[in-house]
Amino acid sequence: MVEVDGTGFFDLPRWLLPAGARGDDVLAVTVDAEQDRAVVTIMRDTAATAQAKAEGADAVARLKRRDPGGDVRL
Amino acid sequence: MVIALLCASLFVPPADSAVLLIRVLDVSDARIGGDAILITDSAGGRARHILIDASDLGRTIVTKLRHFHVDTLAALILSHPHANPYGGMDEVLDAFPVRAFIYGGTPHGASTYLALLRRVAALRIPTVTADTGVRHVQLVTETDTVTLAVLAPPPDCANIAGSATGHDINDCSIGVRLSRGTFTALFPGDAEDAEFAWWMMTQPALLEADVLKASDHGSSSGTSATVLDVVKPEAVLISANGRQQPLKHVLNLLTARGLPTYCTADNGTITVRVPRDGGWKVTAERSGKCHPHRELTTGSLP
């Protein structure tokens, strides 16, 4: 399952993805469409992956700062 | 006299007032078998609700919560950062005030996950990051207390590698062990063998439970003989879509042990009723036995 532009999810068979693709990878997709064929290239975007990972860690850290700790009574 | 009777009726508690209800909602329409578990305590006369996971079908979850008269969630719990438990949470946040957000604090780069965390922050929802040890969350009404022991994932999850697989993320689930009186239930998210091994080592006393929500929708990596030996459940509930899960191997294992097993894909929404005076009972929308999944898994070469 692949997340598409942060708006939804799309089922893709594993064999269509780069062999080294992992669960947290950002993938860059380009399409070269001609009259009789379309070439779809799916590449691991390591820079975007690193940025997404950093943003994820930052979001978790920000929420943690607001956690009073200890046990909680609702 | 009529007025007196009318007034008296206003103070009659609702039918299930002394009953804790655990509903494993039927989200078998979900593409990848999500979980959504609604816990309702009405002991104080006013129902209070907790939702564990929201599948990836937000609209369906909102409709079901409204059907069960939910107006506010005392807590929204995310078991782990996969789309099938959190995909529906945005619409849940649109529809209901949420008083607390509880999750394991595992970082993940998916845009939709980031958007969820940012939204929780923007809404200023008090957050419990259950990333170490055990956090106890008590749902207190006038006459009742339901305790959730939230089991943290292994410490490595806080720095999970970019090369993490889906199994690695499953093994960063938080576990929720509910207790009310003598009754206990365990909701292990999608924890697989490795995380269960961690919990067995660190929190063995908190794994035993009367009712087990099968981990990872009834996949073999989450429901093993070892797990059943430790949890010792008297009933097992499986939330799965019936297409990718549950696995035949798991159903055979449960059958061999004579464990009553309920599956959302076959039985619809499953309800555990826990009366205050002890005893508990599982009912379901539909009768019938659980069937193993019907699709071959995708991902192999064509």
Side-chain angles (χ1 to χ4, degrees), chain B residues 30-257:
Chain B
R31 286 189 302 176
I32 44 171
D35 279 355
I37 299 147
L38 178 64
I39 298 164
T40 299
D41 187 1
S42 305
R46 178 176 168 273
R48 303 192 70 198
H49 309 277
I50 293 172
L51 182 67
I52 303 177
D53 293 335
S55 82
D56 63 351
L57 293 171
R59 197 172 304 169
T60 300
I61 298 302
V62 168
T63 300
K64 287 179 185 288
L65 296 188
R66 290 201 169 119
H67 174 75
F68 292 121
H69 308 292
V70 173
D71 57 2
T72 301
L73 288 170
L76 176 62
I77 299 176
L78 172 61
S79 65
H80 65 293
H82 269 157
N84 54 344
Y86 76 72
M89 286 193 175
D90 211 33
E91 287 175 80
V92 169
L93 288 168
D94 284 341
F96 305 102
V98 172
R99 304 297 184 213
F101 178 70
I102 300 168
Y103 82 131
T106 299
H108 191 49
S111 303
T112 46
Y113 180 61
L114 284 176
L116 171 68
L117 299 189
R118 287 171 177 159
R119 185 150 188 223
V120 168
L123 290 170
R124 298 184 179 279
I125 299 171
T127 300
V128 174
T129 304
D131 58 358
T132 51
V134 179
R135 301 283 293 272
H136 290 92
V137 177
Q138 289 193 320
L139 182 65
V140 181
T141 62
E142 288 172 28
T143 56
D144 196 31
T145 299
V146 175
T147 300
L148 307 179
V150 184
L151 284 68
D156 290 352
C157 292
N159 299 299
I160 193 161
S163 58
T165 66
H167 297 291
D168 296 331
I169 299 288
N170 284 346
D171 275 329
C172 289
S173 293
I174 56 171
V176 176
R177 186 183 188 257
L178 176 152
S179 60
R180 188 225 200 184
T182 60
F183 173 81
T184 52
L186 182 67
F187 307 95
D190 281 4
E192 301 189 13
D193 292 339
E195 185 167 25
F196 267 107
W198 164 256
W199 286 335
M200 286 174 201
M201 206 164 51
T202 57
Q203 310 292 345
L206 291 177
L207 296 180
E208 202 170 310
D210 297 317
V211 172
L212 171 67
K213 192 283 298 179
S215 185
D216 197 19
H217 323 288
S219 72
S220 54
S221 55
T223 308
S224 63
T226 306
V227 166
L228 294 176
D229 286 343
V230 171
V231 179
K232 301 184 181 73
E234 294 176 32
V236 176
L237 319 178
I238 300 177
S239 177
N241 63 14
R243 295 186 296 279
Q244 291 104 337
Q245 292 138 331
L247 296 192
K248 188 175 183 179
H249 165 78
V250 171
L251 296 180
N252 289 344
L253 177 66
L254 298 171
T255 301
R257 291 184 175 227

Side-chain angles (χ1 to χ4, degrees), chain A residues 1 3 6 9-11 14-15 22-24 52-53 55-57 59-60 63-64 66-74, chain B residues 31-32 48 83 105 108-109 111-112 114 121 124-125 127-129 131 135-138 140 160 163-165 299-301:
Chain A
M1 178 160 288
E3 184 186 85
F9 296 90
F10 192 69
D11 287 317
R14 188 71 180 78
W15 54 265
R22 295 294 191 155
D24 234 2
K53 186 172 162 54
E55 289 178 3
V60 168
L63 278 183
K64 189 163 185 179
R66 295 170 39 183
D67 183 344
D71 295 341
V72 176
R73 183 177 163 136
L74 300 175
Chain B
R31 286 189 302 176
I32 44 171
R48 303 192 70 198
H108 191 49
S111 303
T112 46
L114 284 176
R124 298 184 179 279
I125 299 171
T127 300
V128 174
T129 304
D131 58 358
R135 301 283 293 272
H136 290 92
V137 177
Q138 289 193 320
V140 181
I160 193 161
S163 58
T165 66
S300 55
L301 290 166

Side-chain angles (χ1 to χ4, degrees), chain A:
Chain A
M1 178 160 288
V2 176
E3 184 186 85
V4 182
D5 295 334
T7 57
F9 296 90
F10 192 69
D11 287 317
L12 273 184
R14 188 71 180 78
W15 54 265
L16 266 179
L17 302 178
R22 295 294 191 155
D24 234 2
D25 277 351
V26 177
L27 302 172
V29 181
T30 56
V31 181
D32 183 11
E34 298 173 8
Q35 194 63 33
D36 297 320
R37 68 171 190 167
V39 178
V40 179
T41 304
I42 304 175
M43 290 183 64
R44 299 173 73 191
D45 187 335
T46 51
T49 299
Q51 184 182 342
K53 186 172 162 54
E55 289 178 3
D58 181 58
V60 168
R62 207 174 320 141
L63 278 183
K64 189 163 185 179
R65 283 198 290 273
R66 295 170 39 183
D67 183 344
D71 295 341
V72 176
R73 183 177 163 136
L74 300 175

